[in-house]
Amino acid sequence: MRIGILTSGGDCPGINATIRGVCKTAIYHFGMEVVGIHSGFQGLLTKDVERLDEKSLSGLLNMGGTILGTSREKPFKKRDLATDMDKPGEIVRNIQELGLDCVVCIGGNGTQKTAAKFADMGVPIVSVPKTIDNDIWGTDFSFGFDTAVSIATDAIDRLHSTASSHKRVMVIEVMGHKAGWIALYSGMAGGGDVILIPEIPYDIKNIGDTIIYRLKKGKAYSIVVVAEGIMKGDKKRAAEYIAQEIEYETGIETRETVLGYIQRGGSPTSFDRNLATRMGGHATELIVQGKFGRMVTWSRNEISSLPLSEVTGKLKAVPEDHDLIIQGRRLGISFG
Ligand code: F6P
């Protein structure tokens, strides 16, 4: 069999470990041929591909980013009037011309949606969930998330010393798109006193009361962790809005940090490396079993898979009764 592999959407640590898991299992265990497709679905439009072999696959386990490159190309988006190109049709033709028996798509929600549409057209597709946001339905975790949480937690740890020295409130904004998973996990791990996520509306007065209460108890500084997707008034950045509101509400000097793309850089954690290896290998197993149109999942500590039709169009938001939230409230942490 000859399979293609592509990476699409925002990059994150663990993609190369997944490429390694798919390709080495395919080549060495199942005797397949593997073709790397560059820049996501764009590479299928332009047939921008390369044969992947032992040399191209070495050193990938701990390497950040993606050796194939990525893009946010959405072939099913409204037709490109300039070229009036039928992108999905062009891609189906190119998959046939390249002689691909299956395409492995590594990506987030947008990629899963595109993969599902190609699967509905009869294209043999298997997908692997990828995103630091951890907002993909059907899988408990996606690789990239644990690494982003570790990076954010380290950053939060570092804010405690400067907040304490200056008796300030420090606000840090983490990524997560429309979900609050990174803020919840890193806020709890980093000892945040206030954690704001899109799934729980906040009242700035409650936040002010928490900070003043801490002050009265002799805690002269506070750490506030906010997800980028929360309500942010007229500001571009949630951290800027929340910092301004806190300083106005409490009169305490407040500063903000936007962690940004650092959460998507560098080497994956051991958890993400092993999750990526497991998911990559399972994707190849699905191909051998002819089980197409499915996304690999990690559910209750087991590798499995779900039909793409069950996964797409949904957002895995943080449930308000998540055990970390319940436990956080018991510790006196404010969720807004
Ligand atoms: O989906 C991953 C992510 O980093 C989100 O957390 C963030 O909102 C978005 O990508 C940023 O998109 P871009 O890389 O296109 O700026």
Side-chain angles (χ1 to χ4, degrees):
M1 291 183 90
R2 171 189 289 170
I3 64 172
I5 182 168
L6 65 83
T7 60
S8 171
D11 78 314
C12 74
I15 296 181
N16 283 326
T18 307
I19 292 170
R20 172 182 177 272
V22 172
C23 299
K24 286 197 165 185
T25 311
I27 296 167
Y28 299 120
H29 190 65
F30 292 118
M32 297 178 181
E33 193 185 321
V34 185
V35 172
I37 300 158
H38 294 153
S39 309
F41 291 100
Q42 207 174 300
L44 279 176
L45 271 176
T46 58
K47 290 204 271 188
D48 181 2
V49 300
E50 66 172 300
R51 175 79 183 271
L52 294 180
D53 57 18
E54 169 68 28
K55 198 163 61 52
S56 35
L57 295 172
S58 74
L60 292 188
L61 187 54
N62 61 351
M63 187 195 290
T66 161
I67 56 167
L68 297 177
T70 183
S71 72
R72 291 191 182 277
E73 172 62 48
K74 293 183 171 56
F76 290 92
K77 213 172 52 185
K78 65 182 188 306
R79 282 184 71 150
D80 183 340
L81 299 180
T83 63
D84 192 26
M85 185 184 192
D86 166 21
K87 290 185 175 181
E90 182 68 14
I91 285 177
V92 171
R93 274 189 296 281
N94 288 344
I95 289 171
Q96 283 155 358
E97 283 172 20
L98 289 166
L100 300 179
D101 299 301
C102 177
V103 179
V104 177
C105 301
I106 300 171
N109 279 312
T111 305
Q112 303 305 330
K113 212 176 277 180
T114 302
K117 286 178 177 162
F118 277 117
D120 290 344
M121 291 171 73
V123 177
I125 294 256
V126 166
S127 77
V128 181
K130 167 272 324 163
T131 177
I132 63 167
D133 305 335
N134 199 40
D135 59 357
I136 299 175
W137 185 269
T139 185
D140 294 347
F141 293 107
S142 52
F143 69 80
F145 172 65
D146 184 60
T147 304
V149 169
S150 299
I151 293 168
T153 302
D154 178 66
I156 295 166
D157 285 351
R158 294 173 185 280
L159 288 179
H160 283 263
S161 54
T162 178
S164 166
S165 309
H166 288 264
K167 297 183 179 46
R168 281 171 168 166
V169 176
M170 298 303 277
V171 178
I172 179 168
E173 177 184 321
V174 295
M175 285 184 157
H177 202 210
K178 296 194 175 80
W181 292 103
I182 298 176
L184 174 60
Y185 271 68
S186 64
M188 288 297 288
D193 304 301
V194 178
I195 301 173
L196 303 181
I197 60 176
E199 294 89 343
I200 301 178
Y202 65 84
D203 177 339
I204 206 73
K205 292 205 176 319
N206 293 344
I207 298 167
D209 290 349
T210 301
I211 293 169
I212 297 299
Y213 176 73
R214 284 177 47 81
L215 194 60
K216 285 178 182 161
K217 276 190 2 181
K219 309 266 183 168
Y221 76 92
S222 290
I223 303 292
V224 179
V225 182
V226 305
E228 63 176 338
I230 63 167
M231 292 295 288
K232 51 195 168 197
D234 58 349
K235 298 294 180 190
K236 186 169 182 294
R237 286 284 174 210
E240 189 189 355
Y241 177 71
I242 295 295
Q244 170 192 287
E245 291 297 299
I246 288 173
E247 189 160 293
Y248 179 79
E249 188 66 27
T250 64
I252 300 171
E253 203 173 35
T254 306
R255 294 288 186 273
E256 72 269 8
T257 301
V258 177
L259 202 48
Y261 294 86
I262 292 170
Q263 296 160 92
R264 293 197 351 212
S267 184
T269 58
S270 57
F271 177 84
D272 275 346
R273 294 179 199 188
N274 289 331
L275 180 57
T277 298
R278 286 166 148 148
M279 287 193 155
H282 193 70
T284 314
E285 261 181 68
L286 290 173
I287 295 168
V288 168
Q289 293 163 10
K291 292 181 178 171
F292 301 120
R294 297 182 75 84
M295 181 187 84
V296 178
T297 61
W298 177 253
S299 176
R300 296 189 182 79
N301 279 336
E302 291 225 328
I303 279 283
S304 183
S305 68
L306 282 172
L308 276 164
S309 54
E310 267 184 48
V311 165
T312 53
K314 297 174 186 167
L315 180 80
K316 188 185 73 180
V318 177
E320 278 214 39
D321 63 349
H322 191 283
D323 63 342
L324 271 179
I325 293 176
I326 292 168
Q327 185 52 39
R329 289 193 198 282
R330 288 179 187 162
L331 296 176
I333 293 165
S334 166
F335 289 86

